[in-house]
Amino acid sequence: MTSRIQQLRSALIWLALIIPSAMLIGSICAGFLMSLHYVTDARFASPWFIYLLPLGGLLVGLLYHHFGGKSDEGNNLIMDQIHAPGGGVPTRMAPLVFLGTIITHLFGGSAGREGTAVQIGGSIASTLCRRLRLDPDSVKVLLMCGIAAGFGAVFGTPIAGAIFALEVLMIGRIRYESLLPCLIAAITADWTCRLWGAHHTHYAISYLTSIDPPSAFFHLELGIFLKVILAAILFGLAGTLFAKLTHGIGHVFKSTIKYPPLRPFIGGFIVIGLFHLVGTPDYLGLGVWSNNPDAVTISSLLSSPEIHHWSWFWKLLFTAITLGAGFKGGEVTPLFFIGAALGNVLAWVLNAPPSLFAAIGFVAIFAGATNTPIACTIMGIELFGATHGIYLAIACLIAYYASGHSGIYMSQRIAIPKF
Amino acid sequence: MTSRIQQLRSALIWLALIIPSAMLIGSICAGFLMSLHYVTDARFASPWFIYLLPLGGLLVGLLYHHFGGKSDEGNNLIMDQIHAPGGGVPTRMAPLVFLGTIITHLFGGSAGREGTAVQIGGSIASTLCRRLRLDPDSVKVLLMCGIAAGFGAVFGTPIAGAIFALEVLMIGRIRYESLLPCLIAAITADWTCRLWGAHHTHYAISYLTSIDPPSAFFHLELGIFLKVILAAILFGLAGTLFAKLTHGIGHVFKSTIKYPPLRPFIGGFIVIGLFHLVGTPDYLGLGVWSNNPDAVTISSLLSSPEIHHWSWFWKLLFTAITLGAGFKGGEVTPLFFIGAALGNVLAWVLNAPPSLFAAIGFVAIFAGATNTPIACTIMGIELFGATHGIYLAIACLIAYYASGHSGIYMSQRIAIPKF
């Protein structure tokens, strides 16, 4: 009985730690999502902002160079601190990555938001751990809660957020110790974020939206299933290509430009050049929505059957240069775009429904690039409903295998090799 | 390049092993589901069949006593053979458990079907391994595929089936090696089963069926959320109670009745006595549907707001005696009933929507009794759609913690203690 009381006491202490931190993380994520919306609309209203991208890059670079400390290591630093708790994640990482991402998006850098949210979550959780002088085991759990909270809130997918925090650390294994704290953190943060009125894009697949209830939770056609498997191999390879290209470009920038703030400055000019080369602003910024109804966006790829042959390639290049040069933001939303656009063109090649393949590509490329197949399957179901669950699950898993052992997070460890 | 070719070759060999076996398992499961439907309808048409239950029990007992060998160890034998491949699972387990379950249901024993499907899957997979003299590592993977195929086909929930096969072996950890083979096996078996026209009950929650699309994939109210957490603790405890009572009654039968075939014979009389005590046939058989529209069934609990105060307790008792005495069938469908009925009465106590709490109890008690929270969350989403995903996830996880380290499978090992 005493041990039951101790367990209850320990559970209450954990709740008292997790719930307020998750509410804080959710609130900051709400502010972040709203700011992102605001600066993206500002850029749509004043398209010439793109010409300030090099200056924006210089500003981000100077901020990180003079005030960043270890903040520049981003998500990898958080993962390292979970694997081997040490100096922790600096508090300043949260405001810096918030500001850096907003600047990147205001001037049209092609980047995402999950990295930002995860870093905000990790930085707040780590700060709390330092203040309370928690032991290393508790630090691990709380940092994972920070990841789950940030991820769950920024995408509005708390179950996926909790599983992601468990799955992203190690390839090939999940340990359950932190599952409940992570789920509570993700639900709390997501909820807080919604209470603030933060906007999550509602994604809808136009394919099979109005099927009968009896089959609504299960739908499978052999032809489409086999096409999904073929496409999933390419989604996985595209995930690897994205990771390698981003790291490779980052390496080139680091080895050729010694003064760090200059790297995003130069990177900004390259993005401007690319923008003039392709002649469309569709690959700038987040890519989720646009003020131009004819633009290629994640939403348009999911709803329209129109085919865009090379959108996936351009978005991949724009993003690899933006992030490789040192701009801030996440990799995941661009990955969604690249996957959806690749799904769109593969649907054309394979004679399959473009909106369905866009949705499958959206999550499968992410599963390949981050090695998190279960989180991505659940995310697909949280975003698109359960109707296409089987396609989503098999695609995420095949992409996971096809992408090999590399990924966008250098600090991910291999617990069990894929093959 | 050579290693890529070797990988491809190995993948093709695996597919050649898994797909035909899964199709066979799916076909047998289809036959099993149809037979189950047939005998259940026969019992509804002739309610006096219940008085033959002791004789049915004797028949099942004699079959297993004279021809069973190690078959009586059921699911635990399969799990042991995965942990430490040895003599394998006997081929006869498949026909014996098929027949034993059909007899149990024809005469109104309170039992399920997942154990049967899993044992059919495991037995076929093990037979294949023996014929092909596979190495122990391959045996493990193929046996897990058998579990996934049986579970996925019998419930029509392949993603949950694949995760279940991974999750059920060890408490607190998932390893990914077998995830892809298991998913392929589960999808193939489920699909084959559907192609045969096997019927899966479509469960629908009457609460919030027609909410707007924008919130269709996410719905959360604080009051309901807190009530779900309270209820989930009781679902977890009920899962433990079920496991302990079934094992305890089994122990009493074994220690007091030395000749095994007599145990279900005596058990049959006890079930008849209970039937007369409660005065309703609602707790006999599977409990999914009934020919009487006023009966308590899993379907009625999910769709009707009528409260049944003690249904959960009676179903628990009927099932613990039926299975403890040595009748055949699974534990899971009765657990669904018990959980749904407990959810129904807890909704009344807590002033919450009965259909929603029935659905949550349905999966949460199963998560508690089998220690498989992720599979149960996914199963809930596969069965009920994504709308209530958050409630399902938190309930499964809380029930998992509340149930402690015991469960219905004695051969489950503890990889990482829950607390």
mmCIF file of all heavy atoms in Angstrom, chain B residues 215-259:
data_model
loop_
_atom_site.group_PDB
_atom_site.id
_atom_site.type_symbol
_atom_site.label_atom_id
_atom_site.label_comp_id
_atom_site.label_asym_id
_atom_site.label_seq_id
_atom_site.Cartn_x
_atom_site.Cartn_y
_atom_site.Cartn_z
ATOM 1 N N SER B 215 -13.755 19.314 -37.738
ATOM 2 C CA SER B 215 -13.361 18.802 -36.433
ATOM 3 C C SER B 215 -13.500 17.281 -36.380
ATOM 4 O O SER B 215 -13.333 16.675 -35.342
ATOM 5 C CB SER B 215 -14.225 19.442 -35.338
ATOM 6 O OG SER B 215 -15.583 19.259 -35.653
ATOM 7 N N ALA B 216 -13.804 16.679 -37.533
ATOM 8 C CA ALA B 216 -14.100 15.245 -37.537
ATOM 9 C C ALA B 216 -12.912 14.416 -37.084
ATOM 10 O O ALA B 216 -13.075 13.315 -36.602
ATOM 11 C CB ALA B 216 -14.530 14.802 -38.920
ATOM 12 N N PHE B 217 -11.722 14.958 -37.265
ATOM 13 C CA PHE B 217 -10.561 14.159 -36.923
ATOM 14 C C PHE B 217 -10.014 14.539 -35.557
ATOM 15 O O PHE B 217 -8.949 14.125 -35.163
ATOM 16 C CB PHE B 217 -9.487 14.303 -37.996
ATOM 17 C CG PHE B 217 -10.040 13.965 -39.336
ATOM 18 C CD1 PHE B 217 -9.877 14.826 -40.402
ATOM 19 C CD2 PHE B 217 -10.735 12.787 -39.509
ATOM 20 C CE1 PHE B 217 -10.402 14.502 -41.634
ATOM 21 C CE2 PHE B 217 -11.261 12.459 -40.735
ATOM 22 C CZ PHE B 217 -11.092 13.316 -41.797
ATOM 23 N N PHE B 218 -10.733 15.381 -34.859
ATOM 24 C CA PHE B 218 -10.235 15.775 -33.562
ATOM 25 C C PHE B 218 -11.390 16.306 -32.760
ATOM 26 O O PHE B 218 -12.099 17.199 -33.182
ATOM 27 C CB PHE B 218 -9.185 16.858 -33.690
ATOM 28 C CG PHE B 218 -8.583 17.186 -32.379
ATOM 29 C CD1 PHE B 218 -7.480 16.494 -31.938
ATOM 30 C CD2 PHE B 218 -9.152 18.147 -31.571
ATOM 31 C CE1 PHE B 218 -6.936 16.772 -30.700
ATOM 32 C CE2 PHE B 218 -8.610 18.426 -30.337
ATOM 33 C CZ PHE B 218 -7.500 17.736 -29.910
ATOM 34 N N HIS B 219 -11.567 15.749 -31.594
ATOM 35 C CA HIS B 219 -12.621 16.265 -30.753
ATOM 36 C C HIS B 219 -12.223 16.041 -29.313
ATOM 37 O O HIS B 219 -11.839 14.950 -28.936
ATOM 38 C CB HIS B 219 -13.937 15.571 -31.059
ATOM 39 C CG HIS B 219 -15.051 16.148 -30.271
ATOM 40 N ND1 HIS B 219 -15.703 17.292 -30.653
ATOM 41 C CD2 HIS B 219 -15.590 15.781 -29.097
ATOM 42 C CE1 HIS B 219 -16.609 17.595 -29.745
ATOM 43 N NE2 HIS B 219 -16.557 16.697 -28.784
ATOM 44 N N LEU B 220 -12.309 17.048 -28.500
ATOM 45 C CA LEU B 220 -11.873 16.905 -27.122
ATOM 46 C C LEU B 220 -12.616 17.895 -26.236
ATOM 47 O O LEU B 220 -12.704 19.078 -26.536
ATOM 48 C CB LEU B 220 -10.369 17.184 -27.059
ATOM 49 C CG LEU B 220 -9.627 16.711 -25.825
ATOM 50 C CD1 LEU B 220 -9.783 15.224 -25.620
ATOM 51 C CD2 LEU B 220 -8.155 17.046 -25.976
ATOM 52 N N GLU B 221 -13.184 17.358 -25.159
ATOM 53 C CA GLU B 221 -13.782 18.237 -24.143
ATOM 54 C C GLU B 221 -13.133 17.919 -22.819
ATOM 55 O O GLU B 221 -13.005 16.743 -22.453
ATOM 56 C CB GLU B 221 -15.280 17.979 -24.025
ATOM 57 C CG GLU B 221 -16.095 18.534 -25.169
ATOM 58 C CD GLU B 221 -17.550 18.093 -25.043
ATOM 59 O OE1 GLU B 221 -18.079 18.099 -23.911
ATOM 60 O OE2 GLU B 221 -18.124 17.716 -26.059
ATOM 61 N N LEU B 222 -12.753 18.949 -22.063
ATOM 62 C CA LEU B 222 -12.016 18.726 -20.826
ATOM 63 C C LEU B 222 -12.768 17.821 -19.860
ATOM 64 O O LEU B 222 -12.204 16.882 -19.297
ATOM 65 C CB LEU B 222 -11.693 20.070 -20.160
ATOM 66 C CG LEU B 222 -10.894 19.976 -18.861
ATOM 67 C CD1 LEU B 222 -9.596 19.223 -19.076
ATOM 68 C CD2 LEU B 222 -10.607 21.348 -18.293
ATOM 69 N N GLY B 223 -14.069 18.083 -19.680
ATOM 70 C CA GLY B 223 -14.845 17.292 -18.730
ATOM 71 C C GLY B 223 -14.834 15.822 -19.099
ATOM 72 O O GLY B 223 -14.553 14.950 -18.261
ATOM 73 N N ILE B 224 -15.123 15.543 -20.357
ATOM 74 C CA ILE B 224 -15.143 14.148 -20.805
ATOM 75 C C ILE B 224 -13.758 13.534 -20.687
ATOM 76 O O ILE B 224 -13.593 12.387 -20.262
ATOM 77 C CB ILE B 224 -15.680 14.073 -22.255
ATOM 78 C CG1 ILE B 224 -17.160 14.447 -22.266
ATOM 79 C CG2 ILE B 224 -15.467 12.678 -22.843
ATOM 80 C CD1 ILE B 224 -17.838 14.297 -23.594
ATOM 81 N N PHE B 225 -12.748 14.316 -21.016
ATOM 82 C CA PHE B 225 -11.370 13.813 -20.962
ATOM 83 C C PHE B 225 -11.020 13.334 -19.549
ATOM 84 O O PHE B 225 -10.471 12.247 -19.360
ATOM 85 C CB PHE B 225 -10.424 14.925 -21.418
ATOM 86 C CG PHE B 225 -8.997 14.507 -21.516
ATOM 87 C CD1 PHE B 225 -8.566 13.703 -22.558
ATOM 88 C CD2 PHE B 225 -8.064 14.925 -20.574
ATOM 89 C CE1 PHE B 225 -7.237 13.324 -22.657
ATOM 90 C CE2 PHE B 225 -6.736 14.540 -20.663
ATOM 91 C CZ PHE B 225 -6.319 13.745 -21.716
ATOM 92 N N LEU B 226 -11.362 14.136 -18.538
ATOM 93 C CA LEU B 226 -11.047 13.749 -17.163
ATOM 94 C C LEU B 226 -11.858 12.523 -16.738
ATOM 95 O O LEU B 226 -11.355 11.638 -16.045
ATOM 96 C CB LEU B 226 -11.315 14.924 -16.212
ATOM 97 C CG LEU B 226 -10.411 16.140 -16.462
ATOM 98 C CD1 LEU B 226 -10.785 17.302 -15.533
ATOM 99 C CD2 LEU B 226 -8.937 15.778 -16.275
ATOM 100 N N LYS B 227 -13.109 12.455 -17.212
ATOM 101 C CA LYS B 227 -13.910 11.269 -16.905
ATOM 102 C C LYS B 227 -13.339 10.026 -17.575
ATOM 103 O O LYS B 227 -13.375 8.922 -17.011
ATOM 104 C CB LYS B 227 -15.356 11.495 -17.357
ATOM 105 C CG LYS B 227 -16.090 12.536 -16.516
ATOM 106 C CD LYS B 227 -17.445 12.904 -17.122
ATOM 107 C CE LYS B 227 -18.072 14.057 -16.339
ATOM 108 N NZ LYS B 227 -19.328 14.516 -16.983
ATOM 109 N N VAL B 228 -12.817 10.196 -18.776
ATOM 110 C CA VAL B 228 -12.195 9.066 -19.479
ATOM 111 C C VAL B 228 -11.023 8.535 -18.658
ATOM 112 O O VAL B 228 -10.840 7.319 -18.518
ATOM 113 C CB VAL B 228 -11.725 9.488 -20.893
ATOM 114 C CG1 VAL B 228 -10.785 8.452 -21.499
ATOM 115 C CG2 VAL B 228 -12.921 9.705 -21.811
ATOM 116 N N ILE B 229 -10.228 9.438 -18.093
ATOM 117 C CA ILE B 229 -9.070 9.004 -17.309
ATOM 118 C C ILE B 229 -9.515 8.210 -16.080
ATOM 119 O O ILE B 229 -8.981 7.135 -15.792
ATOM 120 C CB ILE B 229 -8.209 10.224 -16.912
ATOM 121 C CG1 ILE B 229 -7.535 10.784 -18.164
ATOM 122 C CG2 ILE B 229 -7.184 9.859 -15.845
ATOM 123 C CD1 ILE B 229 -6.718 12.021 -17.937
ATOM 124 N N LEU B 230 -10.527 8.720 -15.390
ATOM 125 C CA LEU B 230 -11.062 7.988 -14.230
ATOM 126 C C LEU B 230 -11.560 6.609 -14.641
ATOM 127 O O LEU B 230 -11.233 5.595 -14.019
ATOM 128 C CB LEU B 230 -12.248 8.756 -13.633
ATOM 129 C CG LEU B 230 -11.936 9.786 -12.561
ATOM 130 C CD1 LEU B 230 -13.227 10.440 -12.088
ATOM 131 C CD2 LEU B 230 -11.214 9.107 -11.384
ATOM 132 N N ALA B 231 -12.368 6.574 -15.687
ATOM 133 C CA ALA B 231 -12.939 5.306 -16.141
ATOM 134 C C ALA B 231 -11.832 4.348 -16.567
ATOM 135 O O ALA B 231 -11.905 3.142 -16.312
ATOM 136 C CB ALA B 231 -13.905 5.553 -17.300
ATOM 137 N N ALA B 232 -10.776 4.887 -17.199
ATOM 138 C CA ALA B 232 -9.716 4.028 -17.731
ATOM 139 C C ALA B 232 -9.000 3.268 -16.617
ATOM 140 O O ALA B 232 -8.571 2.127 -16.802
ATOM 141 C CB ALA B 232 -8.725 4.853 -18.545
ATOM 142 N N ILE B 233 -8.870 3.898 -15.454
ATOM 143 C CA ILE B 233 -8.250 3.195 -14.325
ATOM 144 C C ILE B 233 -9.079 1.955 -13.992
ATOM 145 O O ILE B 233 -8.535 0.859 -13.789
ATOM 146 C CB ILE B 233 -8.154 4.140 -13.104
ATOM 147 C CG1 ILE B 233 -7.225 5.313 -13.425
ATOM 148 C CG2 ILE B 233 -7.680 3.383 -11.866
ATOM 149 C CD1 ILE B 233 -7.204 6.400 -12.370
ATOM 150 N N LEU B 234 -10.407 2.115 -14.002
ATOM 151 C CA LEU B 234 -11.274 0.965 -13.704
ATOM 152 C C LEU B 234 -11.251 -0.056 -14.837
ATOM 153 O O LEU B 234 -11.333 -1.256 -14.586
ATOM 154 C CB LEU B 234 -12.695 1.461 -13.426
ATOM 155 C CG LEU B 234 -12.786 2.321 -12.161
ATOM 156 C CD1 LEU B 234 -14.165 2.946 -12.025
ATOM 157 C CD2 LEU B 234 -12.468 1.483 -10.923
ATOM 158 N N PHE B 235 -11.134 0.398 -16.084
ATOM 159 C CA PHE B 235 -11.015 -0.561 -17.190
ATOM 160 C C PHE B 235 -9.757 -1.417 -17.007
ATOM 161 O O PHE B 235 -9.774 -2.629 -17.210
ATOM 162 C CB PHE B 235 -10.958 0.141 -18.552
ATOM 163 C CG PHE B 235 -12.230 0.863 -18.934
ATOM 164 C CD1 PHE B 235 -12.184 2.133 -19.514
ATOM 165 C CD2 PHE B 235 -13.472 0.286 -18.728
ATOM 166 C CE1 PHE B 235 -13.352 2.800 -19.872
ATOM 167 C CE2 PHE B 235 -14.647 0.946 -19.081
ATOM 168 C CZ PHE B 235 -14.579 2.215 -19.653
ATOM 169 N N GLY B 236 -8.671 -0.759 -16.618
ATOM 170 C CA GLY B 236 -7.428 -1.503 -16.407
ATOM 171 C C GLY B 236 -7.570 -2.512 -15.271
ATOM 172 O O GLY B 236 -7.153 -3.663 -15.386
ATOM 173 N N LEU B 237 -8.194 -2.071 -14.166
ATOM 174 C CA LEU B 237 -8.382 -2.988 -13.037
ATOM 175 C C LEU B 237 -9.315 -4.138 -13.416
ATOM 176 O O LEU B 237 -9.109 -5.285 -13.008
ATOM 177 C CB LEU B 237 -8.935 -2.225 -11.829
ATOM 178 C CG LEU B 237 -7.976 -1.176 -11.238
ATOM 179 C CD1 LEU B 237 -8.653 -0.388 -10.120
ATOM 180 C CD2 LEU B 237 -6.693 -1.841 -10.725
ATOM 181 N N ALA B 238 -10.335 -3.844 -14.214
ATOM 182 C CA ALA B 238 -11.248 -4.901 -14.648
ATOM 183 C C ALA B 238 -10.503 -5.910 -15.530
ATOM 184 O O ALA B 238 -10.769 -7.114 -15.466
ATOM 185 C CB ALA B 238 -12.431 -4.301 -15.409
ATOM 186 N N GLY B 239 -9.573 -5.420 -16.346
ATOM 187 C CA GLY B 239 -8.764 -6.324 -17.167
ATOM 188 C C GLY B 239 -7.961 -7.284 -16.291
ATOM 189 O O GLY B 239 -7.892 -8.491 -16.557
ATOM 190 N N THR B 240 -7.350 -6.720 -15.236
ATOM 191 C CA THR B 240 -6.603 -7.567 -14.302
ATOM 192 C C THR B 240 -7.514 -8.558 -13.602
ATOM 193 O O THR B 240 -7.183 -9.734 -13.452
ATOM 194 C CB THR B 240 -5.938 -6.684 -13.219
ATOM 195 O OG1 THR B 240 -5.153 -5.702 -13.875
ATOM 196 C CG2 THR B 240 -5.047 -7.503 -12.312
ATOM 197 N N LEU B 241 -8.681 -8.072 -13.157
ATOM 198 C CA LEU B 241 -9.631 -8.939 -12.478
ATOM 199 C C LEU B 241 -10.014 -10.108 -13.381
ATOM 200 O O LEU B 241 -10.050 -11.269 -12.955
ATOM 201 C CB LEU B 241 -10.886 -8.127 -12.104
ATOM 202 C CG LEU B 241 -12.026 -8.918 -11.450
ATOM 203 C CD1 LEU B 241 -11.589 -9.489 -10.112
ATOM 204 C CD2 LEU B 241 -13.260 -8.010 -11.247
ATOM 205 N N PHE B 242 -10.276 -9.806 -14.639
ATOM 206 C CA PHE B 242 -10.637 -10.860 -15.599
ATOM 207 C C PHE B 242 -9.512 -11.882 -15.719
ATOM 208 O O PHE B 242 -9.747 -13.094 -15.648
ATOM 209 C CB PHE B 242 -10.930 -10.237 -16.967
ATOM 210 C CG PHE B 242 -11.196 -11.251 -18.034
ATOM 211 C CD1 PHE B 242 -12.463 -11.787 -18.189
ATOM 212 C CD2 PHE B 242 -10.185 -11.682 -18.886
ATOM 213 C CE1 PHE B 242 -12.727 -12.738 -19.169
ATOM 214 C CE2 PHE B 242 -10.431 -12.636 -19.860
ATOM 215 C CZ PHE B 242 -11.711 -13.167 -20.005
ATOM 216 N N ALA B 243 -8.279 -11.385 -15.890
ATOM 217 C CA ALA B 243 -7.143 -12.307 -16.049
ATOM 218 C C ALA B 243 -6.974 -13.168 -14.809
ATOM 219 O O ALA B 243 -6.822 -14.390 -14.893
ATOM 220 C CB ALA B 243 -5.861 -11.513 -16.333
ATOM 221 N N LYS B 244 -7.038 -12.533 -13.632
ATOM 222 C CA LYS B 244 -6.803 -13.286 -12.390
ATOM 223 C C LYS B 244 -7.928 -14.272 -12.124
ATOM 224 O O LYS B 244 -7.694 -15.397 -11.670
ATOM 225 C CB LYS B 244 -6.650 -12.314 -11.214
ATOM 226 C CG LYS B 244 -5.378 -11.494 -11.353
ATOM 227 C CD LYS B 244 -4.883 -10.906 -10.058
ATOM 228 C CE LYS B 244 -3.457 -10.387 -10.270
ATOM 229 N NZ LYS B 244 -3.095 -9.330 -9.336
ATOM 230 N N LEU B 245 -9.163 -13.846 -12.396
ATOM 231 C CA LEU B 245 -10.300 -14.728 -12.133
ATOM 232 C C LEU B 245 -10.263 -15.938 -13.072
ATOM 233 O O LEU B 245 -10.471 -17.082 -12.644
ATOM 234 C CB LEU B 245 -11.605 -13.952 -12.322
ATOM 235 C CG LEU B 245 -12.854 -14.638 -11.758
ATOM 236 C CD1 LEU B 245 -12.758 -14.794 -10.248
ATOM 237 C CD2 LEU B 245 -14.117 -13.838 -12.111
ATOM 238 N N THR B 246 -9.973 -15.699 -14.361
ATOM 239 C CA THR B 246 -9.905 -16.813 -15.310
ATOM 240 C C THR B 246 -8.798 -17.786 -14.920
ATOM 241 O O THR B 246 -9.002 -19.002 -14.892
ATOM 242 C CB THR B 246 -9.669 -16.277 -16.736
ATOM 243 O OG1 THR B 246 -10.660 -15.297 -17.017
ATOM 244 C CG2 THR B 246 -9.761 -17.382 -17.771
ATOM 245 N N HIS B 247 -7.623 -17.247 -14.584
ATOM 246 C CA HIS B 247 -6.533 -18.128 -14.149
ATOM 247 C C HIS B 247 -6.886 -18.838 -12.854
ATOM 248 O O HIS B 247 -6.627 -20.036 -12.691
ATOM 249 C CB HIS B 247 -5.237 -17.327 -13.962
ATOM 250 C CG HIS B 247 -4.694 -16.781 -15.248
ATOM 251 N ND1 HIS B 247 -3.934 -15.643 -15.321
ATOM 252 C CD2 HIS B 247 -4.814 -17.225 -16.524
ATOM 253 C CE1 HIS B 247 -3.613 -15.401 -16.569
ATOM 254 N NE2 HIS B 247 -4.132 -16.351 -17.322
ATOM 255 N N GLY B 248 -7.492 -18.107 -11.925
ATOM 256 C CA GLY B 248 -7.834 -18.684 -10.621
ATOM 257 C C GLY B 248 -8.855 -19.809 -10.763
ATOM 258 O O GLY B 248 -8.697 -20.887 -10.176
ATOM 259 N N ILE B 249 -9.889 -19.575 -11.563
ATOM 260 C CA ILE B 249 -10.903 -20.615 -11.762
ATOM 261 C C ILE B 249 -10.277 -21.815 -12.469
ATOM 262 O O ILE B 249 -10.538 -22.974 -12.119
ATOM 263 C CB ILE B 249 -12.102 -20.041 -12.556
ATOM 264 C CG1 ILE B 249 -12.873 -19.072 -11.656
ATOM 265 C CG2 ILE B 249 -13.008 -21.155 -13.074
ATOM 266 C CD1 ILE B 249 -14.024 -18.363 -12.335
ATOM 267 N N GLY B 250 -9.407 -21.547 -13.443
ATOM 268 C CA GLY B 250 -8.697 -22.632 -14.114
ATOM 269 C C GLY B 250 -7.905 -23.457 -13.109
ATOM 270 O O GLY B 250 -7.903 -24.693 -13.154
ATOM 271 N N HIS B 251 -7.263 -22.776 -12.174
ATOM 272 C CA HIS B 251 -6.467 -23.458 -11.169
ATOM 273 C C HIS B 251 -7.352 -24.334 -10.279
ATOM 274 O O HIS B 251 -7.007 -25.489 -9.974
ATOM 275 C CB HIS B 251 -5.719 -22.420 -10.336
ATOM 276 C CG HIS B 251 -4.770 -23.021 -9.364
ATOM 277 N ND1 HIS B 251 -3.578 -23.589 -9.755
ATOM 278 C CD2 HIS B 251 -4.850 -23.163 -8.019
ATOM 279 C CE1 HIS B 251 -2.953 -24.054 -8.689
ATOM 280 N NE2 HIS B 251 -3.697 -23.812 -7.624
ATOM 281 N N VAL B 252 -8.489 -23.793 -9.872
ATOM 282 C CA VAL B 252 -9.417 -24.556 -9.025
ATOM 283 C C VAL B 252 -9.893 -25.799 -9.768
ATOM 284 O O VAL B 252 -9.910 -26.907 -9.219
ATOM 285 C CB VAL B 252 -10.619 -23.671 -8.605
ATOM 286 C CG1 VAL B 252 -11.704 -24.532 -7.945
ATOM 287 C CG2 VAL B 252 -10.168 -22.567 -7.678
ATOM 288 N N PHE B 253 -10.293 -25.644 -11.029
ATOM 289 C CA PHE B 253 -10.728 -26.807 -11.820
ATOM 290 C C PHE B 253 -9.616 -27.846 -11.885
ATOM 291 O O PHE B 253 -9.861 -29.041 -11.718
ATOM 292 C CB PHE B 253 -11.120 -26.380 -13.238
ATOM 293 C CG PHE B 253 -12.568 -26.007 -13.383
ATOM 294 C CD1 PHE B 253 -12.967 -24.678 -13.451
ATOM 295 C CD2 PHE B 253 -13.547 -26.991 -13.442
ATOM 296 C CE1 PHE B 253 -14.299 -24.332 -13.586
ATOM 297 C CE2 PHE B 253 -14.889 -26.653 -13.581
ATOM 298 C CZ PHE B 253 -15.270 -25.323 -13.647
ATOM 299 N N LYS B 254 -8.390 -27.381 -12.157
ATOM 300 C CA LYS B 254 -7.286 -28.331 -12.316
ATOM 301 C C LYS B 254 -6.979 -29.064 -11.020
ATOM 302 O O LYS B 254 -6.639 -30.244 -11.030
ATOM 303 C CB LYS B 254 -6.035 -27.605 -12.822
ATOM 304 C CG LYS B 254 -6.051 -27.455 -14.332
ATOM 305 C CD LYS B 254 -4.841 -26.740 -14.893
ATOM 306 C CE LYS B 254 -5.123 -26.392 -16.338
ATOM 307 N NZ LYS B 254 -4.663 -25.062 -16.721
ATOM 308 N N SER B 255 -7.077 -28.354 -9.900
ATOM 309 C CA SER B 255 -6.676 -29.000 -8.646
ATOM 310 C C SER B 255 -7.796 -29.863 -8.069
ATOM 311 O O SER B 255 -7.533 -30.759 -7.284
ATOM 312 C CB SER B 255 -6.210 -27.945 -7.637
ATOM 313 O OG SER B 255 -7.229 -27.011 -7.429
ATOM 314 N N THR B 256 -9.050 -29.611 -8.462
ATOM 315 C CA THR B 256 -10.130 -30.409 -7.872
ATOM 316 C C THR B 256 -10.596 -31.529 -8.795
ATOM 317 O O THR B 256 -11.108 -32.536 -8.324
ATOM 318 C CB THR B 256 -11.344 -29.529 -7.501
ATOM 319 O OG1 THR B 256 -11.731 -28.804 -8.672
ATOM 320 C CG2 THR B 256 -11.017 -28.565 -6.382
ATOM 321 N N ILE B 257 -10.446 -31.362 -10.106
ATOM 322 C CA ILE B 257 -10.913 -32.402 -11.033
ATOM 323 C C ILE B 257 -9.707 -32.942 -11.786
ATOM 324 O O ILE B 257 -9.133 -32.259 -12.637
ATOM 325 C CB ILE B 257 -11.949 -31.825 -12.027
ATOM 326 C CG1 ILE B 257 -13.086 -31.162 -11.248
ATOM 327 C CG2 ILE B 257 -12.492 -32.921 -12.933
ATOM 328 C CD1 ILE B 257 -14.066 -30.402 -12.104
ATOM 329 N N LYS B 258 -9.326 -34.167 -11.460
ATOM 330 C CA LYS B 258 -8.070 -34.681 -11.989
ATOM 331 C C LYS B 258 -8.175 -35.081 -13.464
ATOM 332 O O LYS B 258 -7.223 -34.975 -14.219
ATOM 333 C CB LYS B 258 -7.604 -35.902 -11.158
ATOM 334 C CG LYS B 258 -7.156 -35.520 -9.753
ATOM 335 C CD LYS B 258 -5.931 -34.597 -9.776
ATOM 336 C CE LYS B 258 -5.811 -33.814 -8.465
ATOM 337 N NZ LYS B 258 -5.025 -32.597 -8.543
ATOM 338 N N TYR B 259 -9.347 -35.599 -13.887
ATOM 339 C CA TYR B 259 -9.492 -36.063 -15.265
ATOM 340 C C TYR B 259 -9.906 -34.879 -16.157
ATOM 341 O O TYR B 259 -11.044 -34.388 -16.065
ATOM 342 C CB TYR B 259 -10.550 -37.160 -15.312
ATOM 343 C CG TYR B 259 -10.740 -37.766 -16.694
ATOM 344 C CD1 TYR B 259 -9.684 -38.400 -17.350
ATOM 345 C CD2 TYR B 259 -11.991 -37.736 -17.313
ATOM 346 C CE1 TYR B 259 -9.868 -38.959 -18.603
ATOM 347 C CE2 TYR B 259 -12.172 -38.294 -18.565
ATOM 348 C CZ TYR B 259 -11.109 -38.907 -19.214
ATOM 349 O OH TYR B 259 -11.285 -39.442 -20.459
#
